[in-house]
Every structure is written in C-alpha cells, then in structure tokens.
Amino acid sequence: GQNIDQPTEMTATEGAIVQINCTYQTSGFNGLFWYQQHAGEAPTFLSYNVLDGLEEKGRFSSFLSRSKGYSYLLLKELQMKDSASYLCAVIYTGTASKLTFGTGTRLQVTL
Amino acid sequence: GAVVSQHPSRVICKSGTSVKIECRSLDFQATTMFWYRQFPKQSLMLMATSNEGSKATYEQGVEKDKFLINHASLTLSTLTVTSAHPEDSSFYICSARNYNYEQYFGPGTRLTVT
C-alpha cells in the first residue's frame, strides 16, 4: 500500500514552534505536498518538496528525507489562526500525478 | 496567481434531482483537474481525474454514471451528481494541476441532499 502516516492531533501554545511529521512509503515517490485546511474550507497549498532538505517560507518550513520516507512541517511563532488541519500528500510515479493524502493532523493553538 | 474557483459554494437539492458543480482555473491552464469528496473530520478522497478533451478516470468504487465529469477546456471541468440521494451529501472539492505539478484547490462546494 501507500500508507501516509501523520499524528491525528497536536496542541501547541501561541508563539511556540510545532513540528508535524509525515512518513510515507518510499517506493515510487515523486514529490510531497503540505496543505493547510481550516474547518469547512478547501485546502490551501503550503509547500512542495521533491529534493532532500529544508525549504523555508516565512513562518513555515518543510523538510524532506527521501531515503527515510520522512517529511515534517515546521510552524514557528504560532498564531491562533494557525489552528487547522495540516495535510501531507504524496505523488507516486505511474499514478498520473494523483495526490495520496494522509489522514491529516488537527493542530490546536492555545493561549 | 494559481486561483481555482468553484460554483456554487453551497447547494441544497431534493433527492432524485441532479446537481452540476463547476471548477475553473482562473489564471492558469490546467490539463488535469481532480475531483475529491470529503466527509466531516476525514481526509480528502479522490473521486476521479479529469483530463482535458478525454474521458475521466474514476477511482475504484466511484460510480461513473452517477458522477458525470466533463473537462471541455483547459480552464473548466464540471461534476454532475445525478439522481442525488442524502448519502451524497458531502463537501466536494476540485483541484487543478499546473505544468509544475503543483495542485491548487478550489474553495469547495457543500452539497446537501434533502
């Protein structure tokens, strides 16, 4: 199968840093996406990783290790509006660019 | 850039009727669009892949005669839910893929069948 695993829920404090992990099956890997989804809304694109390493975009960074089948999304200086679900999605070769989604991680930011 | 729109955003229909949902890429051409369904507190489930000018490819378990997909141009795909039933009530989301393989999602359509 192509199981993509993420923690179901996480809680963090406003102003803190939180890391959301994602593991996936490495065979046929062709790229990994992170999306943010607020309740009742469609996902919004955060990042796309194809090569190993860390990519930083403002308060959000995404890391990929292809050999380990591992990625994380790092959120710094957490704000209340960051409370949302964070979806890890992988493209596998031979799937016509279909995204395979993890179950998503619901992040709750508290005061 | 990379804006995808969906219309309508919400629709309520009676059981047995059909509903059409439009998905448009506003500022880029999308040779491929995807249709997803999402039930509360669950992740997105891919229903079908829509390629411009050809028949859609449906995922296993999705009835192609019930969920009609048309991708008539590089910026428009439509999903028609035919003979809708209450169990079809869900959040339907489309996405459009650009030439860099990045997928951008529409705002979603909440369908309620009464």
Side-chain angles (χ1 to χ4, degrees):
Chain A
Q2 297 170 334
N3 290 338
I4 298 173
D5 294 319
Q6 301 178 237
T8 305
E9 293 185 350
M10 298 182 72
T11 302
T13 307
E14 189 179 35
I17 299 173
V18 71
Q19 178 175 309
I20 302 174
N21 296 325
C22 172
T23 58
Y24 61 88
Q25 182 176 312
T26 58
S27 177
F29 172 82
N30 206 23
L32 184 145
F33 293 81
W34 282 99
Y35 288 89
Q36 179 192 60
Q37 186 179 26
H38 286 99
E41 299 179 12
T44 55
F45 172 81
L46 292 178
S47 66
Y48 175 42
N49 293 70
V50 178
L51 302 176
D52 292 346
L54 184 69
E55 292 199 10
E56 298 185 69
K57 280 186 184 180
R59 293 190 300 114
F60 292 5
S61 302
S62 58
F63 172 84
L64 177 68
S65 169
R66 288 173 296 171
S67 63
K68 295 181 180 179
Y70 169 67
S71 173
Y72 67 73
L73 180 69
L74 193 70
L75 291 75
K76 302 176 185 176
E77 301 170 17
L78 279 174
Q79 302 175 9
M80 298 299 289
K81 67 178 182 180
D82 297 330
S83 294
S85 287
Y86 291 86
L87 309 176
C88 173
V90 175
I91 288 182
Y92 288 96
T93 56
T95 63
S97 304
K98 292 189 296 186
L99 287 174
T100 301
F101 280 90
T103 53
T105 299
R106 282 194 296 278
L107 173 66
Q108 182 69 44
V109 180
T110 60
L111 291 172
Chain B
V3 178
V4 177
S5 70
Q6 269 184 254
H7 177 80
S9 57
R10 290 178 180 271
V11 58
I12 300 173
C13 70
K14 292 186 177 180
S15 186
T17 61
S18 295
V19 174
K20 180 185 282 188
I21 303 170
E22 291 187 350
C23 176
R24 293 180 186 272
S25 56
L26 299 185
D27 52 2
F28 66 99
Q29 293 185 332
T31 55
T32 303
M33 290 184 173
F34 302 88
W35 287 96
Y36 297 85
R37 182 165 53 182
Q38 186 177 35
F39 292 105
K41 296 189 177 182
Q42 294 185 23
S43 193
L44 282 75
M45 185 190 79
L46 180 65
M47 299 175 67
T49 303
S50 169
N51 293 300
E52 185 264 339
S54 63
K55 290 183 179 180
T57 302
Y58 290 82
E59 294 301 298
Q60 193 171 7
V62 178
E63 301 173 57
K64 63 180 181 181
D65 294 330
K66 180 172 181 61
F67 298 99
L68 302 178
I69 292 172
N70 182 276
H71 193 154
S73 75
L74 286 171
T75 59
L76 172 64
S77 176
T78 61
L79 168 68
T80 300
V81 183
T82 62
S83 187
H85 291 285
E87 57 265 31
D88 298 325
S89 298
S90 187
F91 192 45
Y92 291 87
I93 308 172
C94 73
S95 72
R97 180 174 69 86
N98 65 14
Y99 291 104
N100 292 325
Y101 292 90
E102 295 162 343
Q103 286 193 33
Y104 295 89
F105 287 83
T109 297
R110 187 159 302 283
L111 170 64
T112 303
V113 184
T114 61

